[in-house]
Amino acid sequence: MNGTVKISGLSVGYRRHTVLSGLDWQLKPGHIYGLLGRNGAGKTTLLQTLAGGLSPLGGAIDAFGLNPFDRNEAFLSSCYLVGASMAFPALKPSVFVEAYRPFYPHFSTELYNSLAADLEVNRSTVVSKQSMGEQKRFILAFALACRARLTLLDEPLAGLDIIARGEILRAIARGDNQDGIIVISSHDTEGLENIITDLAVINDGRMILDAPVDDLSEAITCHSEGRWPDTIFADGLESISVNGDSFPSDLNLRLLFKALVSDCDFHSRLNNILKSLPSCDD
C-alpha cells in the first residue's frame, strides 16, 4: 500500500443539503495538517468521511490504496478518529487500553505510558466519569499511541485551559510516528502554527487554501501594526503583505484565517503568490 491519502472531487451532504462540494486534497506521510474553517464549514463532515463513517454523494477517497467506505479491517486498523464529542464506556483507562489496543497492530504501550504521564491522564477514574479535559487528554494519548497511518483529531483543543492546550500540542508534535498522517481540525488557531506542516482552509464546503506552512511563510508577512508596501489585507492595526524578502516570516494564523474567510479576493491573490514561488516550479 502507498502512504498517501488522495481525495478527488469529493461531495458530501445530508438529505438536500450539500456540505462539501468537489473537494480535492492530497495528504502525505509525515505531515501534520491544520484544517481550519468556521463552524459549519464542513470540517467534521470531511473527517468523518475520511474515516469511512459517511458515504459521499460523489467523488472518491483513496487511503493507502484502500477505500474507506468498504470499512474493511485493513483500513480500520490504519485510521483513528478522535471526534469533537465522544461517548466513553465506564472503564478505567488501563482497561480501555487493554480492550481496544489489539485493533491497532502498531500500538505502542511504551508510547502510551509516556504520553499518559506527560498529559497527566487520570488513571483512577472510569473515563465516562472524568471531566471533558481529562477525557481529551486520555483519548489523545491513546490515539497517538495507536500509531495509525491516519490520525484525525476534530477540535482537540476546544474547551481546554491554556496549560492543557500546551500539553496536547506538545504531545501531537512529538513525532513518534514519522510515517503517519495527522489532521487537526479546528476553528481556533492559537498554537497550531508551531506544530503543523501544512495548512488547509475550508469555506462554504470548498477548499480555498491548501499549502505548506513553509511556502506561506515565504509568500507573505503578517504585521501586528501599521501599513506596509504590497499590503493585501488589513484588519485594524494588523495587516498582511507580500513577503519581499528571501527570509521566511512568522505566520499569524488567526489573521490569515480571517483574511481567507472574510475577503473573497484574498485567497485567489494568495494562491497566485504561492504559484509564483520558485519552489512551486521544481
Side-chain angles (χ1 to χ4, degrees):
M1 294 187 292
N2 61 55
T4 63
V5 174
K6 186 176 182 180
I7 301 172
S8 305
L10 185 70
S11 295
V12 186
Y14 305 94
R15 295 183 179 180
R16 298 181 180 180
H17 176 54
T18 300
V19 180
L20 302 173
S21 179
L23 191 144
D24 297 315
W25 198 19
Q26 182 165 315
L27 307 174
K28 300 177 181 179
H31 289 233
I32 300 176
Y33 293 85
L35 176 62
L36 303 184
R38 302 179 70 175
N39 288 333
K43 304 185 303 298
T44 294
T45 295
L46 176 55
L47 294 194
Q48 291 176 342
T49 307
L50 270 171
L54 294 175
S55 297
L57 300 174
I61 298 178
D62 182 321
F64 321 118
L66 301 169
N67 184 347
F69 315 114
D70 290 340
R71 304 290 289 173
N72 58 47
E73 181 181 346
F75 173 75
L76 293 176
S77 64
S78 299
C79 176
Y80 199 97
L81 169 64
V82 176
S85 60
M86 301 178 67
F88 292 95
L91 301 174
K92 288 186 177 182
S94 60
V95 179
F96 183 103
V97 170
E98 288 301 315
Y100 289 99
R101 71 177 181 178
F103 295 104
Y104 301 94
H106 302 293
F107 185 89
S108 170
T109 300
E110 180 181 359
L111 176 57
Y112 169 75
N113 288 332
S114 176
L115 289 170
D118 290 344
L119 295 174
E120 299 182 350
V121 167
N122 180 348
R123 305 190 191 214
S124 61
T125 306
V126 297
V127 183
S128 61
K129 298 296 185 181
Q130 295 183 11
S131 69
M132 181 182 69
E134 289 175 325
Q135 290 176 342
K136 284 194 172 184
R137 291 198 294 270
F138 162 67
I139 200 60
L140 182 69
F142 179 81
L144 295 177
C146 286
R147 299 174 59 83
R149 302 183 75 184
L150 178 61
T151 302
L152 307 171
L153 307 177
D154 191 6
E155 299 288 358
L157 305 175
L160 298 180
D161 61 53
I162 189 169
I163 295 177
R165 288 173 62 95
E167 292 171 345
I168 285 177
L169 288 171
R170 283 191 292 273
I172 295 171
R174 282 185 53 167
D176 293 86
N177 188 7
Q178 298 292 339
D179 296 325
I181 298 168
I182 296 177
V183 180
I184 306 170
S185 167
S186 182
H187 65 274
D188 184 353
T189 62
E190 185 179 352
L192 286 183
E193 67 275 4
N194 297 321
I195 67 169
I196 62 173
T197 61
D198 299 78
L199 178 65
V201 178
I202 291 180
N203 196 43
D204 293 330
R206 297 181 180 275
M207 186 79 73
I208 60 173
L209 180 72
D210 174 21
V213 167
D214 287 347
D215 285 358
L216 290 168
S217 297
E218 187 177 344
I220 59 173
T221 300
C222 299
H223 307 279
S224 59
E225 59 181 30
R227 293 293 184 270
W228 301 78
D230 295 323
T231 292
I232 54 177
F233 178 78
D235 180 48
L237 294 177
E238 297 180 314
S239 63
I240 299 175
S241 67
V242 178
N243 187 352
D245 299 324
S246 57
F247 302 102
S249 64
D250 292 329
L251 289 180
N252 180 335
L253 285 189
R254 177 190 52 77
L255 181 63
L256 175 56
F257 175 57
K258 186 171 185 177
L260 286 163
V261 300
S262 65
D263 186 334
C264 60
D265 295 324
F266 177 81
H267 66 84
S268 60
R269 285 180 285 177
L270 176 58
N271 282 319
N272 287 334
I273 297 171
L274 290 168
K275 290 176 183 177
S276 70
L277 294 178
S279 59
C280 295
D281 298 328
D282 295 340

